[in-house]
């Protein structure tokens, strides 16, 4: 008999909610456990009162999946606790030094994950008789904890989904611009609160699905048995593909006309992990009469806040801050090159989305995904600034390459690396695991 799967997505619009929709299409899904979620009654209220004009409400609305409400168990309170912790961290700790020293925001955030784990474990325990046909508990790293242990007690195979580098290694990787630590460096690595929850999940789970080659490489490098680690390449979500289709005709696609400046776009947190300090160094070495840079995102690292405040005032630099999903899609349609010198990533969704919008990805070698060097983009060492500068100059002088890659990436996004393909990869992994369970 085909074993069913319980998916635990955690907070926010994370890919595991889309995974649940794909599993349901193939009759695998038993239940989706997630944070705040717009069930149908809430969506009706939002539509009736036109509340989707409020950004926070719209973001909640966009978490919706084509699943019936009875397949979803929404854990609202843990996510509200999480946002309270973020609020303390961002709004109060900058003004009250004692709160920063006590790490109150981090502690509240950590508690929100533990609260989610306990709530998920209660759901499992209270439905033991109903979950006899479940073979796999598939959860997001950091959100397993007690629920992982309960799933094991119920004789489910536990599968942890991890979307980035192993947290034990990531501080070193960021500090050293993408380099992996040697064994001798491991003892000096420090970790944050939430990282401990993630590491416990990676250690205790039966199997791990790593998002992309870099994630898998770092997990194995940390000492985890390679035989329990699978790699997966995610594609662009159906939601984003719909936004591209909706806005493509509205935007004048004149970006490939001769004589125009080369338009670079960065989207993501303005942090050292994402390589934003590297991006600023790259731009400093470019001829600004030839290029324009648009920046989307927030969460700025304190250590280069002053530099960024000066940088964003430069000629041909445009800072847009946080944008809605749809507005970001429009910006991607307008620009030529998606530049992303991240020091450590899984399969970055923004890279997939930029490809779907027909951009040329100029990205780090430490990013997983379907971009192949000199085929449908360029992969560069995040520590070699000059190589990025030279690549941009080359593309400026060879605009036809950008246009050709644009067509390749749109075709790949539409016909292969999409949400359906993502689901099929998972299905193959789960089928193999179900055979292990049956044996």
């Amino acid at each position: 008999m085909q074993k069913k799967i319980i998916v635990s997505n955690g907070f926010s619009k994370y890919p595991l909610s889309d995974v649940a929709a794909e599993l349901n299409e193939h009759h695998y899904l038993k239940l989706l456990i997630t944070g705040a979620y717009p069930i149908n009654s809430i969506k009706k209220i939002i539509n009736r009162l036109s509340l989707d004009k409020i950004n926070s409400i719209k973001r909640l609305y966009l978490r919706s999946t084509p699943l019936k409400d009875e397949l979803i168990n929404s854990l609202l309170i843990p996510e509200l606790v999480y946002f309270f912790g973020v609020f303390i961290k961002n709004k109060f700790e900058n003004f009250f030094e004692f709160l920063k020293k006590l790490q109150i925001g981090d502690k509240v955030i950590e508690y929100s994950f533990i609260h989610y784990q306990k709530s998920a474990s209660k759901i499992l325990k209270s439905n033991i008789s109903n979950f006899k046909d479940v073979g796999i508990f598939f959860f997001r790293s950091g959100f397993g904890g007690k629920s992982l242990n309960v799933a094991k007690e119920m004789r489910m195979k536990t599968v942890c989904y991890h979307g980035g580098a192993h947290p034990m290694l990531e501080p070193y990787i960021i500090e050293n611009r993408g380099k992996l630590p040697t064994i001798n460096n491991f003892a000096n690595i420090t970790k944050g609160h939430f990282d401990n929850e993630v590491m416990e999940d990676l250690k205790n789970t039966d199997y791990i699905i790593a998002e992309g080659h870099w994630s898998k490489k770092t997990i194995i490098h940390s000492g985890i048995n390679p035989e329990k680690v699978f790699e997966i390449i995610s594609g662009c979500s159906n939601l984003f593909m719909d936004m591209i289709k909706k806005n493509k005709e509205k935007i004048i696609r004149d970006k490939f006309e001769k004589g125009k400046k080369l338009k670079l776009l960065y989207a993501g947190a303005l942090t050292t992990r994402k390589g934003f300090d590297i991006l600023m160094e790259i731009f400093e070495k470019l001829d600004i009469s030839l290029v324009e840079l648009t920046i989307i995102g927030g969460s700025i690292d304190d250590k280069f806040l002053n530099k960024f405040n000066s940088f964003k005032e430069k000629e041909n630099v445009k800072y847009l801050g946080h944008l809605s999903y749809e507005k970001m899609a429009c910006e991607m349609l307008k620009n030529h090159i998606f530049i992303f010198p991240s020091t450590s990533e899984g399969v970055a969704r923004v890279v997939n989305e930029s490809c779907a919008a027909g951009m040329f990805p100029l990205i780090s070698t430490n990013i997983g995904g379907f971009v192949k060097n000199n085929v449908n983009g360029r992969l560069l060492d995040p520590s070699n600034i000059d190589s990025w500068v030279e690549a941009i100059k080359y593309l400026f002088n060879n605009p036809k390459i950008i246009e050709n890659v644009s067509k390749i990436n749109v075709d790949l996004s539409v016909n292969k690396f999409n949400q359906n393909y993502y689901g099929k990869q998972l299905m193959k992994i789960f089928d193999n695991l179900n055979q292990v369970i049956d044996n």
Side-chain angles (χ1 to χ4, degrees):
M1 184 179 79
Q2 178 176 289
K3 295 287 184 180
K4 297 279 187 175
I5 299 169
I6 293 174
V7 177
S8 185
N9 175 77
F11 304 147
S12 76
K13 175 67 176 173
Y14 198 70
L16 294 201
S17 60
D18 293 329
V19 167
E22 291 300 315
L23 291 173
N24 190 53
E25 284 290 313
H26 295 83
H27 310 290
Y28 273 76
L29 183 68
K30 185 71 175 185
L31 182 70
L32 168 64
I33 304 171
T34 188
Y37 184 89
I39 59 175
N40 286 323
S41 58
I42 292 174
K43 284 195 288 187
K44 286 177 183 176
I45 293 170
I46 292 171
N47 288 330
R48 189 171 294 129
L49 300 178
S50 299
L51 295 176
D52 59 340
K53 293 175 183 176
I54 302 170
N55 282 336
S56 57
I57 300 293
K58 188 167 187 176
R59 284 197 293 272
L60 174 65
Y61 192 90
L62 290 175
R63 295 185 185 188
S64 179
T65 59
L67 292 173
K68 294 179 179 178
D69 287 351
E70 55 263 33
L71 290 173
I72 299 162
N73 202 311
S74 173
L75 301 177
L76 173 62
I77 293 175
E79 188 158 1
L80 289 176
V81 174
Y82 168 78
F83 279 114
F84 180 60
V86 172
F87 182 75
I88 292 172
K89 193 174 174 68
N90 293 342
K91 300 297 182 183
F92 286 101
E93 288 188 1
N94 291 332
F95 299 102
F96 300 101
E97 192 62 30
F98 78 94
L99 287 177
K100 198 168 190 175
K101 287 180 180 177
L102 292 172
Q103 297 181 307
I104 298 296
D106 282 335
K107 288 175 181 175
V108 173
I109 290 169
E110 183 183 20
Y111 174 73
S112 73
F113 291 104
I114 294 170
H115 191 343
Y116 179 98
Q117 295 166 5
K118 288 180 177 177
S119 299
S121 66
K122 286 179 183 177
I123 292 168
L124 296 180
K125 285 181 177 178
S126 62
N127 288 278
I128 289 177
S129 59
N130 189 37
F131 290 160
K132 287 182 179 178
D133 59 342
V134 176
I136 294 172
F137 180 62
F138 182 43
F139 67 98
R140 177 179 170 185
S141 62
F143 292 88
K146 192 172 182 181
S147 62
L148 183 165
N149 296 327
V150 171
K152 283 189 170 185
E153 290 168 10
M154 295 170 68
R155 298 188 177 181
M156 299 178 194
K157 285 293 178 185
T158 55
V159 183
C160 179
Y161 186 92
H162 188 65
H166 192 287
M168 181 173 71
L169 311 186
E170 194 159 68
Y172 182 94
I173 293 168
I174 294 168
E175 187 177 338
N176 293 275
R177 292 196 163 179
K179 307 298 182 188
L180 283 169
T182 62
I183 297 299
N184 295 332
N185 298 126
F186 277 36
N188 300 321
I189 293 170
T190 57
K191 300 160 285 290
H193 289 285
F194 172 59
D195 291 338
N196 293 324
E197 300 297 323
V198 174
M199 286 190 292
E200 283 300 303
D201 284 347
L202 292 174
K203 183 176 74 173
N204 295 330
T205 189
D206 295 314
Y207 298 97
I208 299 166
I209 295 180
E211 199 174 47
H213 76 276
W214 181 251
S215 178
K216 181 179 180 181
K217 184 175 182 178
T218 63
I219 289 169
I220 293 170
H221 194 75
S222 76
I224 288 175
N225 183 355
E227 292 184 2
K228 76 180 237 180
V229 187
F230 298 90
E231 178 187 342
I232 192 167
I233 298 175
S234 62
C236 199
S237 70
N238 291 344
L239 175 63
F240 196 82
M241 294 296 289
D242 289 342
M243 288 180 177
I244 291 293
K245 290 175 190 173
K246 177 182 174 183
N247 291 286
K248 194 171 182 179
E249 298 306 319
K250 295 179 187 176
I251 296 173
I252 301 171
R253 300 300 297 273
D254 61 350
K255 64 183 181 184
F256 296 119
E257 288 184 5
K258 291 182 180 178
K260 287 192 174 289
K261 288 182 179 177
L262 196 61
K263 295 181 179 180
L264 311 179
L265 175 71
Y266 171 91
L270 313 184
T271 62
T272 48
R273 182 173 80 81
K274 298 289 185 180
F276 190 74
D277 54 328
I278 297 170
L279 175 65
M280 289 192 287
E281 288 180 35
I282 293 166
F283 196 79
E284 295 282 2
K285 290 192 170 190
L286 293 171
D287 182 346
I288 61 170
S289 67
L290 306 179
V291 296
E292 294 177 354
L293 174 64
T294 298
I295 302 163
I296 299 170
S299 304
I300 304 168
D301 273 357
D302 290 341
K303 58 181 144 183
F304 52 73
L305 179 58
N306 290 335
K307 183 179 178 180
F308 172 68
N309 285 334
S310 173
F311 180 79
K312 69 182 180 182
E313 301 302 322
K314 280 182 172 291
E315 184 182 352
N316 291 336
V317 173
K318 183 169 62 173
Y319 176 53
L320 302 179
H322 283 292
L323 291 184
S324 69
Y325 218 30
E326 188 164 349
K327 286 181 179 176
M328 187 173 76
C330 291
E331 287 299 322
M332 286 182 168
L333 287 166
K334 294 175 186 175
N335 287 270
H336 299 105
I337 295 173
F338 186 75
I339 184 166
F340 203 56
S342 178
T343 56
S344 185
E345 290 286 335
V347 178
R349 276 179 285 175
V350 283
V351 174
N352 291 341
E353 289 160 357
S354 71
C355 289
M359 297 188 74
F360 184 106
L362 189 65
I363 63 174
S364 163
T365 50
N366 294 2
I367 298 174
F370 63 86
V371 177
K372 303 297 181 187
N373 193 36
N374 293 322
V375 177
N376 63 321
R378 286 291 303 275
L379 304 177
L380 300 170
D381 182 344
S383 66
N384 188 343
I385 303 295
D386 288 340
S387 67
W388 293 78
V389 174
E390 290 306 312
I392 292 167
K393 288 179 180 176
Y394 179 79
L395 290 169
F396 178 82
N397 292 320
N398 296 274
K400 196 67 182 174
I401 292 175
I402 301 173
E403 189 172 358
N404 290 340
V405 166
S406 170
K407 293 172 184 175
I408 291 169
N409 282 331
V410 170
D411 181 67
L412 284 170
S413 299
V414 171
N415 296 309
K416 184 173 182 181
F417 294 102
N418 48 39
Q419 187 173 310
N420 181 255
Y421 173 77
Y422 184 43
K424 285 179 179 177
Q425 290 177 89
L426 283 167
M427 230 55 62
K428 190 174 180 180
I429 293 171
F430 290 141
D431 281 340
N432 290 336
L433 293 182
N434 273 327
Q435 287 178 19
V436 172
I437 295 167
D438 291 337
N439 293 332

